[in-house]
Amino acid sequence: MNVVIVGGGISGLALAHGLHSRGTAVTLLEAASHLGGNIQTRRRDGFITEAGPNSFVDREPTLRQLAASLGIEDRIRTADPSAKRRYIYSRGKLRQVPSSPPALLKSDVVPLGAKLRMMGELFTRRAPDKDESLAEFGRRHVGRTATEVLVDAMQTGIYAGDVEALSVGAVFPKVVELEKQHRSLVLGMARSQAAARKALPPGEGAPKPTGAVSSFDGGLQVLVDALARSLGPAARTGARVVGLRREGHGWRLSVEEHGQRSELAADQVVLAVPAYVAAELLRPLDEKLAGRVEGIAYAPVAVVHLGFAPGSLPPPDGFGFLIPTLERRRLLGVIHASSTFPWRVEDGRVLLTCMVGGAKRPDLVELDDEALVKLAREELRELAGITAEPSFTEVIHWKRGIPQYNVGHLARMAAIDEGVARLPGLHLLGNAYKGVGLTDCIRNANALVDTLTR
Ligand SMILES: Cc1cc2nc3c(=O)[nH]c(=O)nc-3n(C[C@H](O)[C@H](O)[C@H](O)COP(=O)(O)OP(=O)(O)OC[C@H]3O[C@@H](n4cnc5c(N)ncnc54)[C@H](O)[C@@H]3O)c2cc1C
């Protein structure tokens, strides 16, 4: 069996590595001149910047196991302990996010009335039988204000989305599962923690997740480079797939590579490309399926890195801060990159990574680099009192940044799965479908390795 994987982001790379390690013949075709997709780490002027993702939460063994299989587990670095402190800009200032339900009592992140309403979570009424939005779910559990401040900020940090549009079942399936079992999330969490304490420790020798925000000593590129080394010539860059058709029991792909058009035969094809690219390749095969895949929306995001010379700015505290939509600001949030990942800057420099745009302000991503730097500096001055002049700036525009699992996504996915099942030997993989985090992408790739090698 030979497998051709289209797309060399983390999803395609993790799949290729898994198949390659099991001795399956695999070819990965990546249109860009570099592997990694959204993951792009750069080094300049004493700063290590991330164009896309910055980190993963080491909560399940998936990513650590991948790193171990590549011999780079010792290069994983956990965030500075101060990164446990996170802030939200609310009612005129930065306020610390409580780390647990008891800490909420002392916190001023929401006003007293909203805190009292949050305590009523224990008496949440049962879920209606429908695909609920994250906002509807939030209001039912913690009330309107906590939804507008806390739930909105939380989704902004992952999806840069619209809390009224995102489907809770699609974006936080574990939370919905917890609700199904326990009705109240607070009760559910307390019971799960008690059960976990009683459970047996993980097996000897298995890599142990730390639960911490993590990256690698040279940024996430370390993972991409190790995957590229492991795949060698099986991963081809500058190879854009422009057509796909059935041939006998297999597939034939048209590839544009270094100005040449060629054809490639495959027993199995995996489209690990963004949904809008997959839709174009699927259109001649199944128009309806292509339409469903194309309907997955993306939120645009601009990333604005501001670097400060040593001594020009005291290191800001904690992981960073998020700004709920309700505040009507022009920033989505800021990562205190140098405080959280101190190894990413040389001697005393400060690096702030500002996120702009998202589903609610896509217009801002259209601004040019200079305007985005100006916007970020104005907002930092007003929100966090930061007036220092950056010595270094870098702007990345993600016109279609983060897939949005809006209400209807689960039904859409069921229909997409059905459509794909009618095309034997063809598979869809990637962040558009069943999880946007790096760990989700790798977990889904591992599951496909199992399916293909069964
Ligand atoms: C700004 C930003 C910040 C993020 N922050 C985090 C974070 O901190 N933590 C986290 O876990 N996740 C984060 N994410 C999400 C995470 O980065 C992505 O979900 C993940 O990297 C997606 O990987 P992928 O392989 O599915 O897709 P992609 O990375 O999009 O890869 C798809 C690949 O397909 C290639 N391709 C496209 N068309 C073709 C073609 N015709 N032929 C061949 N190849 C083609 C593309 O060039 C690309 O390399 C962030 C995302 C963004 C945009």
Side-chain angles (χ1 to χ4, degrees), residues 7 9-11 29-31 37-38 52-55 241 272-273 277 430-431 436-438:
I10 190 64
S11 300
L29 303 171
E30 164 56 51
N38 286 342
N54 275 258
S55 55
V241 173
V273 288
V277 178
N431 67 353
V436 302
L438 297 171

Side-chain angles (χ1 to χ4, degrees), residues 124-138:
T124 301
R125 59 192 153 74
R126 288 248 167 235
D129 187 19
K130 67 166 192 168
D131 187 359
E132 242 186 336
S133 76
L134 186 53
E136 287 170 315
F137 180 91

Side-chain angles (χ1 to χ4, degrees), residues 25 75 120 163 178 185 274 298 301 312 317 330 339 352 355 379 411:
R75 300 191 62 185
V163 72
L178 202 64
L185 302 180
Y298 282 72
V301 178
S312 58
D317 180 62
R330 291 174 298 161
S339 307
L352 301 180
M355 304 287 178
E379 289 287 281

Side-chain angles (χ1 to χ4, degrees), residues 49-175:
T49 60
E50 296 282 8
N54 275 258
S55 55
F56 60 95
V57 182
D58 192 15
R59 202 175 277 136
E60 57 174 285
T62 315
L63 204 147
R64 196 167 269 279
Q65 274 165 354
L66 175 61
S69 76
L70 292 161
I72 54 164
E73 196 189 353
D74 59 340
R75 300 191 62 185
I76 293 179
R77 302 280 296 265
T78 52
D80 190 83
S82 65
K84 289 201 179 101
R85 289 191 291 281
R86 289 166 180 253
Y87 294 85
I88 286 182
Y89 179 85
S90 174
R91 292 170 286 129
K93 65 174 196 173
L94 297 181
R95 299 171 195 269
Q96 196 175 330
V97 180
S99 54
S100 64
L104 177 70
L105 293 175
K106 283 198 238 142
S107 156
D108 65 352
V109 73
V110 289
L112 181 63
K115 279 203 274 188
L116 292 173
R117 168 61 186 87
M118 286 178 82
M119 285 172 207
E121 203 282 328
L122 284 168
F123 309 104
T124 301
R125 59 192 153 74
R126 288 248 167 235
D129 187 19
K130 67 166 192 168
D131 187 359
E132 242 186 336
S133 76
L134 186 53
E136 287 170 315
F137 180 91
R139 285 192 285 268
R140 217 160 35 76
H141 281 268
V142 292
R144 188 177 55 82
T145 305
T147 297
E148 285 177 352
V149 177
L150 296 170
V151 179
D152 184 69
M154 181 174 58
Q155 72 76 17
T156 296
I158 306 171
Y159 292 93
D162 176 351
V163 72
E164 299 287 348
L166 290 169
S167 152
V168 66
V171 298
F172 295 126
K174 285 189 185 144
V175 173

Side-chain angles (χ1 to χ4, degrees), residues 36-41 49-55 215 220 344 398 438:
N38 286 342
I39 304 175
Q40 291 169 43
T41 310
T49 60
E50 296 282 8
N54 275 258
S55 55
S215 181
L220 289 167
R344 284 184 34 198
W398 295 102
L438 297 171

